[in-house]
């Protein structure tokens, strides 16, 4: 009985330390990239409003109104860290959350995901792989068929 209790306690402590270690490493990585270059944060991308407008194809649609601080990053090479979410076999996005809690599951808003267009061939990626990417930031306030946020000419700089 003591062995079972000891083993259970050991497992719980190990898992807790692993989770803390992963979160701490992610914070350190983000700090490194803040020092190295211009980094977008999910908190900043989350500062967004919506306004209803008519759309010729969909009727009345909630269009995003992107924050001015976010707009100031437009057309610049920036960094962001997050979890890889496959859209189809050739299209990927990066998300604030893991796939099970992403925008598609109703656990977050569309501002918590960024479409990715890779430089050259698309690298081999896994769902929920935590990466930091660099790319040219583009925001979208008018096209209801595109992401609100996009990175073009993307390269993975950490987590590959």
């Amino acid at each position: 009985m003591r062995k079972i209790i000891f083993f259970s306690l050991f497992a719980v402590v190990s898992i807790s330390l692993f989770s803390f270690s992963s979160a701490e490493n992610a914070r350190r990585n983000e700090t490194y990239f803040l020092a190295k270059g211009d980094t977008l944060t999910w908190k900043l991308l989350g500062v967004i409003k919506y306004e209803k407008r008519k759309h010729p194809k969909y009727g009345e649609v909630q269009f995003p109104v992107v924050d001015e601080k976010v707009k100031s990053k437009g057309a610049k090479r920036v960094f962001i860290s997050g979890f890889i979410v496959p859209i189809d076999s050739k299209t990927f996005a990066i998300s604030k959350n893991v796939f099970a809690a992403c925008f598609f599951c109703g656990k977050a808003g569309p501002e918590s995901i960024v479409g990715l267009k890779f430089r050259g061939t698309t690298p081999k990626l896994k769902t929920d792989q935590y990466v930091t990417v660099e790319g040219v930031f583009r925001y979208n306030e008018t096209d209801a068929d595109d992401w609100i946020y996009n990175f073009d000419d993307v390269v993975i700089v950490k987590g590959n």
Side-chain angles (χ1 to χ4, degrees), residues 43-111:
K43 183 176 181 179
L44 179 60
L45 293 180
V47 179
I48 193 166
K49 296 179 180 172
Y50 295 90
E51 66 180 24
K52 287 182 183 180
R53 289 186 284 182
K54 291 284 186 190
H55 187 278
K57 185 176 175 183
Y58 303 117
E60 194 168 75
V61 173
Q62 293 273 12
F63 281 92
V65 178
V66 176
D67 184 75
E68 290 301 318
K69 285 183 185 177
V70 175
K71 285 182 178 181
S72 73
K73 310 287 186 188
K76 294 181 182 175
R77 289 201 73 81
V78 295
F79 298 91
I80 196 163
S81 297
F83 299 94
I84 292 294
V85 175
I87 307 305
D88 58 34
S89 64
K90 296 181 183 195
T91 308
F92 292 89
I94 191 168
S95 177
K96 172 184 176 181
N97 303 311
V98 295
F99 187 72
C102 79
F103 163 59
F104 303 111
C105 301
K107 307 262 185 205
E111 70 282 352

Side-chain angles (χ1 to χ4, degrees), residues 11 16 28 41 78 84 89 102 106 113 124 132 137 142-143 153:
S16 297
R28 276 193 214 121
T41 64
V78 295
I84 292 294
S89 64
C102 79
I113 198 160
K124 187 170 172 83
T132 299
F137 178 64
T142 58
D143 185 353
D153 193 35

Side-chain angles (χ1 to χ4, degrees), residues 13-28:
V13 169
S14 297
I15 291 169
S16 297
L17 289 174
F18 176 75
S19 298
F20 175 75
S21 174
S22 296
E24 186 61 31
N25 285 339
R27 278 197 275 310
R28 276 193 214 121

